[in-house]
């Protein structure tokens, strides 16, 4: 099959991490000396600005997604059990904070292009899969000094996963299945950089490969 879908989502109450709001500090006056309290009251400065996250942002997300699935058995019986599955997404977004409505940002963590491809074989109890996922660069939101959010560019990445399994079909081991998996086979790093310049690297983190071995039994 081949499928094509479009989508649009209007965002409201988006969190603005840099929002400034007025706050009444009158409850803190008892911590001051009487002379200081009188000075603050006389100046009428009990109300002051506070920087605090607030839901003052809005925006939208829109895009197109295409998916395709092809079991090779529809082409020839000699390839029965083999097949591919693929999907691709193009997305655009626009987010504007209440504290700075003239500056447009892409939705943090959202890549413009995302594609996934899987090649597989499933027959006679065997199953083997290779999956590759690609995402283009994106706006990364990172916890900075004092846990304040910082925005940087997250580098494009491609991650390769693989799995191999077998389920016994008959005999005394019927119902026993073994599955081995490797995630991030190519040890793809997570990289962020400043000002859209890949030379200005801020983060370079390697998470390594993950290996899994599972055994199940059905009766």
């Amino acid at each position: 099959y081949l499928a094509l879908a479009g989508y649009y989502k209007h965002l409201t109450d988006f969190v603005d991490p840099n929002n400034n709001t007025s706050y009444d500090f009158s409850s803190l006056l008892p911590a001051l000396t009487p002379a200081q309290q009188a000075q603050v009251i006389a100046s009428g400065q009990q109300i002051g600005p506070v920087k605090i996250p607030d839901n003052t942002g809005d925006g939208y997300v829109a895009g197109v997604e295409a998916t395709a699935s092809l079991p090779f058995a529809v082409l020839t019986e000699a390839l029965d059990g083999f097949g591919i599955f693929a999907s691709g997404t193009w997305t655009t977004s626009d987010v504007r904070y209440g504290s700075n409505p003239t500056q447009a940002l892409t939705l943090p963590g959202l890549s413009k292009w995302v594609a996934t491809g899987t090649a597989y074989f499933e027959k006679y109890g065997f199953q083997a899969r290779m999956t590759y996922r690609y995402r283009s660069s994106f706006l990364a939101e990172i916890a900075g000094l004092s846990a304040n959010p910082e925005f940087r560019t997250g580098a494009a990445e491609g991650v390769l996963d693989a799995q191999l399994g077998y389920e016994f079909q008959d005999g005394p081991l019927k119902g026993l299945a073994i599955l081995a998996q490797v995630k991030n086979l190519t040890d793809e790093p997570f990289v962020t950089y400043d000002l859209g310049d890949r030379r200005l690297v801020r983060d370079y983190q390697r998470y390594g490969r993950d290996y899994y071995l599972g055994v199940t039994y059905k009766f």
Side-chain angles (χ1 to χ4, degrees), residues 89-111:
T89 304
W90 174 85
T91 307
T92 182
S93 64
D94 185 297
V95 175
R96 298 174 186 268
Y97 294 133
S99 60
N100 189 4
T102 61
Q103 181 181 10
L105 302 173
T106 58
L107 189 69
L110 186 67
S111 294

Side-chain angles (χ1 to χ4, degrees), residues 1 69-76 79-84 120:
Y1 69 83
S69 177
L70 178 62
F72 289 169
V74 302
L75 303 176
T76 172
L79 295 177
D80 184 31
F82 290 93
I84 58 172
Y120 63 86

Side-chain angles (χ1 to χ4, degrees), residues 25 29 39-40 59 64 70 76 80 82 100 117 140 146 157 170 188:
F25 290 92
L29 287 177
Q39 184 178 2
V40 172
V64 178
L70 178 62
T76 172
D80 184 31
F82 290 93
N100 189 4
S146 300
E157 62 181 22
D170 49 32
E188 186 75 7

